[in-house]
Amino acid sequence: QAMNIYELPFESLDGSVFQRVCRLEEESYPIDEAASETTIQYRLSNATQYFRVFAQKGEAPGSDPNVVGFINGTCICGSEILHESMFTHDVSGTTLVIHSVVVAAEYRRNGVGSNMLHLYLNYIAEHCFQVKRILLLSKGELLRYYVKCGFSVLGISSVHHGKVPGQHNSLPNVVVMKVCCRKSGLILNLMWRP
């Protein structure tokens, strides 16, 4: 059974919550893939509506929220992720690139990530009308997870992100995933590494 979570309001995304988000990013990705605090701040400041932080319900009033995870992204004008896509936001872009889907280690494998993705994608479909496509980079071991969340394969991408020792210091190409959202016809895409 999935944990009952809620989305923190934008005004809460500073101080200890911001530091928790940065710490979760560092703990969840290899050092050469994790966004820096500066990059996270850029995404939060420039792509605010695409930055969602989730906390556990049932906390004591007045206490710091128990952040369990977050999802963030930025928009691009094209329909393909380029390396530069990781560091910029185009307010007129119609393709949303999700950069991080992060769940704190102690909350993984109990439906929190799927619940967060569901809430995030519904928010995009209901509030971000210019978004026509969503792209996401993922490692191969998470492919089944994203397929279970409704994504499917489109093709190969030339983006290399991160390093794996013994493989010419770069990960293999990624595969693009796509599915239509039943509610809005929104196109969702996922890129994964085989």
Side-chain angles (χ1 to χ4, degrees), residues 75-134:
C75 288
I76 60 173
C77 281
S79 59
E80 179 181 346
I81 296 178
L82 303 173
H83 183 70
E84 303 81 48
S85 307
M86 304 294 196
F87 308 103
T88 60
H89 175 64
D90 188 328
V91 295
S92 63
T94 59
T95 300
L96 173 61
V97 178
I98 295 177
H99 302 297
S100 300
V101 177
V102 173
V103 177
E106 63 270 26
Y107 298 107
R108 292 180 190 154
R109 305 214 181 274
N110 68 4
V112 171
S114 298
N115 194 5
M116 285 175 22
L117 264 175
H118 174 77
L119 293 170
Y120 187 85
L121 296 174
N122 279 342
Y123 172 84
I124 298 302
E126 293 170 10
H127 300 283
C128 304
F129 302 114
Q130 83 282 4
V131 173
K132 306 294 181 218
R133 176 176 310 200
I134 298 175

Side-chain angles (χ1 to χ4, degrees), residues 4-8 53-57 59 65-69:
N4 199 1
I5 62 173
Y6 69 99
E7 186 178 327
L8 290 173
V53 178
F54 301 90
Q56 183 177 10
K57 283 192 176 177
E59 300 156 6
N66 182 19
V67 175
V68 298

Side-chain angles (χ1 to χ4, degrees), residues 15-61:
S16 65
V17 172
F18 179 76
Q19 291 306 313
R20 172 79 167 142
V21 164
C22 292
R23 203 167 43 256
L24 286 174
E25 176 83 11
E26 289 175 6
E27 294 168 357
S28 299
Y29 293 103
I31 194 164
D32 59 330
E33 291 181 26
S36 68
E37 188 171 313
T38 301
T39 299
I40 291 171
Q41 184 62 57
Y42 172 85
R43 293 173 184 167
L44 183 57
S45 298
N46 293 284
T48 305
Q49 66 189 39
Y50 306 107
F51 206 117
R52 299 299 193 229
V53 178
F54 301 90
Q56 183 177 10
K57 283 192 176 177
E59 300 156 6

Side-chain angles (χ1 to χ4, degrees), residues 101 117 136-139 142-152 177 190:
V101 177
L117 264 175
L136 173 79
L137 292 174
S138 174
K139 294 192 171 146
L142 293 174
L143 175 62
R144 286 188 176 161
Y145 168 76
Y146 288 112
V147 168
K148 188 176 176 182
C149 290
F151 297 96
S152 57
M177 308 289 287
L190 166 69

